[in-house]
Amino acid sequence: DKQFRDQSDTPEDLALNRIEAQELRHCISRLPDKDQELIVAIYFHGRTESEYAQQVGCKQQSVNERKKRILGKLRKELNL
């Protein structure tokens, strides 16, 4: 019965997730330092765009535009 089936990831799913995470880390490491800093602050340290903007002394809109540009680069690198 589907209701009681174990819904945990299979070993294959876990392996694929690990590979994808490694690819993402590699792509991030190839970004310029300032772009890496923005992505890490927002996606890994949980800062908001406003908090990051205040930290680096720019407008939130500028952070948002940079973030979109960087994410576009990462998507292209990852073929997404």
PDB file of all heavy atoms in Angstrom, residues 2-3 15 20 28-29 49 54 56 64 67 69 74-75 77:
ATOM      1  N   LYS A   2       0.584   2.187  -0.902  1.00  0.00           N
ATOM      2  CA  LYS A   2       1.386   3.400  -1.030  1.00  0.00           C
ATOM      3  C   LYS A   2       1.444   4.222   0.260  1.00  0.00           C
ATOM      4  O   LYS A   2       2.428   4.871   0.537  1.00  0.00           O
ATOM      5  CB  LYS A   2       0.835   4.286  -2.145  1.00  0.00           C
ATOM      6  CG  LYS A   2       1.124   3.783  -3.511  1.00  0.00           C
ATOM      7  CD  LYS A   2       0.634   4.782  -4.540  1.00  0.00           C
ATOM      8  CE  LYS A   2       0.970   4.312  -5.933  1.00  0.00           C
ATOM      9  NZ  LYS A   2       0.547   5.296  -6.923  1.00  0.00           N
ATOM     10  N   GLN A   3       0.389   4.179   1.019  1.00  0.00           N
ATOM     11  CA  GLN A   3       0.312   4.994   2.229  1.00  0.00           C
ATOM     12  C   GLN A   3       1.424   4.633   3.214  1.00  0.00           C
ATOM     13  O   GLN A   3       1.925   5.482   3.924  1.00  0.00           O
ATOM     14  CB  GLN A   3      -1.049   4.807   2.882  1.00  0.00           C
ATOM     15  CG  GLN A   3      -1.240   5.649   4.133  1.00  0.00           C
ATOM     16  CD  GLN A   3      -2.627   5.448   4.731  1.00  0.00           C
ATOM     17  OE1 GLN A   3      -3.388   4.604   4.282  1.00  0.00           O
ATOM     18  NE2 GLN A   3      -2.946   6.220   5.736  1.00  0.00           N
ATOM     19  N   ALA A  15      23.122   9.578  -3.991  1.00  0.00           N
ATOM     20  CA  ALA A  15      24.340   9.749  -4.785  1.00  0.00           C
ATOM     21  C   ALA A  15      24.185  10.884  -5.792  1.00  0.00           C
ATOM     22  O   ALA A  15      25.085  11.717  -5.947  1.00  0.00           O
ATOM     23  CB  ALA A  15      24.696   8.448  -5.494  1.00  0.00           C
ATOM     24  N   GLU A  20      25.261  16.457  -7.593  1.00  0.00           N
ATOM     25  CA  GLU A  20      24.736  17.776  -7.948  1.00  0.00           C
ATOM     26  C   GLU A  20      25.267  18.847  -7.000  1.00  0.00           C
ATOM     27  O   GLU A  20      25.612  19.946  -7.435  1.00  0.00           O
ATOM     28  CB  GLU A  20      23.205  17.759  -7.940  1.00  0.00           C
ATOM     29  CG  GLU A  20      22.621  16.969  -9.098  1.00  0.00           C
ATOM     30  CD  GLU A  20      21.128  16.743  -8.979  1.00  0.00           C
ATOM     31  OE1 GLU A  20      20.539  17.035  -7.921  1.00  0.00           O
ATOM     32  OE2 GLU A  20      20.540  16.266  -9.953  1.00  0.00           O
ATOM     33  N   ILE A  28      30.189  27.541  -8.082  1.00  0.00           N
ATOM     34  CA  ILE A  28      30.277  28.706  -7.203  1.00  0.00           C
ATOM     35  C   ILE A  28      31.736  29.094  -7.002  1.00  0.00           C
ATOM     36  O   ILE A  28      32.078  30.277  -7.021  1.00  0.00           O
ATOM     37  CB  ILE A  28      29.566  28.445  -5.859  1.00  0.00           C
ATOM     38  CG1 ILE A  28      28.047  28.366  -6.083  1.00  0.00           C
ATOM     39  CG2 ILE A  28      29.902  29.534  -4.839  1.00  0.00           C
ATOM     40  CD1 ILE A  28      27.260  27.893  -4.868  1.00  0.00           C
ATOM     41  N   SER A  29      32.614  28.109  -6.841  1.00  0.00           N
ATOM     42  CA  SER A  29      34.027  28.405  -6.600  1.00  0.00           C
ATOM     43  C   SER A  29      34.681  29.085  -7.801  1.00  0.00           C
ATOM     44  O   SER A  29      35.698  29.757  -7.642  1.00  0.00           O
ATOM     45  CB  SER A  29      34.791  27.127  -6.250  1.00  0.00           C
ATOM     46  OG  SER A  29      34.992  26.325  -7.402  1.00  0.00           O
ATOM     47  N   GLU A  49      18.479  39.939   1.224  1.00  0.00           N
ATOM     48  CA  GLU A  49      19.107  40.891   0.300  1.00  0.00           C
ATOM     49  C   GLU A  49      19.338  42.223   0.999  1.00  0.00           C
ATOM     50  O   GLU A  49      20.375  42.860   0.803  1.00  0.00           O
ATOM     51  CB  GLU A  49      18.221  41.091  -0.932  1.00  0.00           C
ATOM     52  CG  GLU A  49      18.158  39.891  -1.832  1.00  0.00           C
ATOM     53  CD  GLU A  49      17.245  40.094  -3.021  1.00  0.00           C
ATOM     54  OE1 GLU A  49      16.691  41.199  -3.182  1.00  0.00           O
ATOM     55  OE2 GLU A  49      17.084  39.138  -3.807  1.00  0.00           O
ATOM     56  N   GLN A  54      23.036  46.241   3.185  1.00  0.00           N
ATOM     57  CA  GLN A  54      23.508  47.100   4.268  1.00  0.00           C
ATOM     58  C   GLN A  54      24.956  46.760   4.619  1.00  0.00           C
ATOM     59  O   GLN A  54      25.781  47.643   4.837  1.00  0.00           O
ATOM     60  CB  GLN A  54      22.612  46.937   5.495  1.00  0.00           C
ATOM     61  CG  GLN A  54      22.942  47.891   6.613  1.00  0.00           C
ATOM     62  CD  GLN A  54      21.957  47.782   7.771  1.00  0.00           C
ATOM     63  OE1 GLN A  54      21.189  46.820   7.863  1.00  0.00           O
ATOM     64  NE2 GLN A  54      21.970  48.758   8.640  1.00  0.00           N
ATOM     65  N   VAL A  56      27.334  45.564   2.709  1.00  0.00           N
ATOM     66  CA  VAL A  56      28.307  45.985   1.698  1.00  0.00           C
ATOM     67  C   VAL A  56      28.131  47.437   1.255  1.00  0.00           C
ATOM     68  O   VAL A  56      28.917  47.938   0.451  1.00  0.00           O
ATOM     69  CB  VAL A  56      28.307  45.045   0.460  1.00  0.00           C
ATOM     70  CG1 VAL A  56      28.703  43.635   0.856  1.00  0.00           C
ATOM     71  CG2 VAL A  56      26.975  45.071  -0.253  1.00  0.00           C
ATOM     72  N   ASN A  64      19.692  42.489  -5.555  1.00  0.00           N
ATOM     73  CA  ASN A  64      18.746  41.637  -6.263  1.00  0.00           C
ATOM     74  C   ASN A  64      19.162  41.446  -7.722  1.00  0.00           C
ATOM     75  O   ASN A  64      19.136  40.321  -8.243  1.00  0.00           O
ATOM     76  CB  ASN A  64      17.339  42.221  -6.176  1.00  0.00           C
ATOM     77  CG  ASN A  64      16.318  41.365  -6.881  1.00  0.00           C
ATOM     78  OD1 ASN A  64      16.052  41.565  -8.062  1.00  0.00           O
ATOM     79  ND2 ASN A  64      15.748  40.422  -6.152  1.00  0.00           N
ATOM     80  N   LYS A  67      22.245  39.266  -7.856  1.00  0.00           N
ATOM     81  CA  LYS A  67      21.885  37.881  -7.543  1.00  0.00           C
ATOM     82  C   LYS A  67      21.261  37.201  -8.755  1.00  0.00           C
ATOM     83  O   LYS A  67      21.628  36.073  -9.094  1.00  0.00           O
ATOM     84  CB  LYS A  67      20.914  37.853  -6.358  1.00  0.00           C
ATOM     85  CG  LYS A  67      20.513  36.441  -5.934  1.00  0.00           C
ATOM     86  CD  LYS A  67      19.480  36.462  -4.844  1.00  0.00           C
ATOM     87  CE  LYS A  67      18.133  36.761  -5.457  1.00  0.00           C
ATOM     88  NZ  LYS A  67      17.017  36.632  -4.532  1.00  0.00           N
ATOM     89  N   ARG A  69      21.683  37.930 -11.907  1.00  0.00           N
ATOM     90  CA  ARG A  69      22.730  37.742 -12.910  1.00  0.00           C
ATOM     91  C   ARG A  69      23.603  36.543 -12.557  1.00  0.00           C
ATOM     92  O   ARG A  69      23.895  35.692 -13.404  1.00  0.00           O
ATOM     93  CB  ARG A  69      23.580  39.015 -13.012  1.00  0.00           C
ATOM     94  CG  ARG A  69      24.705  38.917 -14.033  1.00  0.00           C
ATOM     95  CD  ARG A  69      25.566  40.171 -14.076  1.00  0.00           C
ATOM     96  NE  ARG A  69      26.035  40.632 -12.784  1.00  0.00           N
ATOM     97  CZ  ARG A  69      27.042  40.093 -12.089  1.00  0.00           C
ATOM     98  NH1 ARG A  69      27.672  39.035 -12.553  1.00  0.00           N
ATOM     99  NH2 ARG A  69      27.407  40.590 -10.934  1.00  0.00           N
ATOM    100  N   LEU A  74      25.092  30.588 -13.010  1.00  0.00           N
ATOM    101  CA  LEU A  74      25.140  29.249 -12.422  1.00  0.00           C
ATOM    102  C   LEU A  74      24.233  28.284 -13.179  1.00  0.00           C
ATOM    103  O   LEU A  74      24.608  27.140 -13.432  1.00  0.00           O
ATOM    104  CB  LEU A  74      24.760  29.294 -10.940  1.00  0.00           C
ATOM    105  CG  LEU A  74      25.772  29.975 -10.023  1.00  0.00           C
ATOM    106  CD1 LEU A  74      25.205  30.109  -8.615  1.00  0.00           C
ATOM    107  CD2 LEU A  74      27.091  29.214 -10.004  1.00  0.00           C
ATOM    108  N   ARG A  75      23.046  28.743 -13.551  1.00  0.00           N
ATOM    109  CA  ARG A  75      22.134  27.888 -14.325  1.00  0.00           C
ATOM    110  C   ARG A  75      22.781  27.466 -15.647  1.00  0.00           C
ATOM    111  O   ARG A  75      22.695  26.311 -16.065  1.00  0.00           O
ATOM    112  CB  ARG A  75      20.811  28.607 -14.610  1.00  0.00           C
ATOM    113  CG  ARG A  75      19.878  28.614 -13.445  1.00  0.00           C
ATOM    114  CD  ARG A  75      18.513  29.182 -13.839  1.00  0.00           C
ATOM    115  NE  ARG A  75      17.792  29.534 -12.652  1.00  0.00           N
ATOM    116  CZ  ARG A  75      17.720  30.747 -12.131  1.00  0.00           C
ATOM    117  NH1 ARG A  75      18.315  31.768 -12.731  1.00  0.00           N
ATOM    118  NH2 ARG A  75      17.040  30.982 -11.035  1.00  0.00           N
ATOM    119  N   GLU A  77      26.017  27.317 -16.333  1.00  0.00           N
ATOM    120  CA  GLU A  77      27.119  26.381 -16.028  1.00  0.00           C
ATOM    121  C   GLU A  77      26.604  24.984 -15.730  1.00  0.00           C
ATOM    122  O   GLU A  77      27.235  23.998 -16.077  1.00  0.00           O
ATOM    123  CB  GLU A  77      27.922  26.886 -14.825  1.00  0.00           C
ATOM    124  CG  GLU A  77      28.893  27.978 -15.127  1.00  0.00           C
ATOM    125  CD  GLU A  77      30.127  27.489 -15.864  1.00  0.00           C
ATOM    126  OE1 GLU A  77      30.632  26.396 -15.544  1.00  0.00           O
ATOM    127  OE2 GLU A  77      30.573  28.209 -16.767  1.00  0.00           O
TER     128      GLU A  77
END
